[in-house]
Amino acid sequence: MDELTKTVIERGDLAHLALFLWASGASALLVWTLRELAAANKRFNDFVHEIASLNRLFKKGD
């Protein structure tokens, strides 16, 4: 990695390297956020399903 960075700096493409690192970080953050959102949606769906099951159970007892 040091040789790659050294080559980029020698060629004067430091701005491109910085832009690539920023874009990579932003993309990784987006992927992480979408995974967390999907997991939260699944947990909420499971919660609603359990509440519906309890409601059916209590209605049978009436």
Side-chain angles (χ1 to χ4, degrees), residues 9-35:
I9 291 172
E10 286 174 358
R11 290 182 50 197
D13 290 337
L14 187 57
H16 289 110
L17 178 63
L19 182 61
F20 171 74
L21 292 174
W22 174 83
S24 297
S27 296
L29 185 60
L30 177 64
V31 168
W32 177 79
T33 302
L34 290 175
R35 283 184 184 169

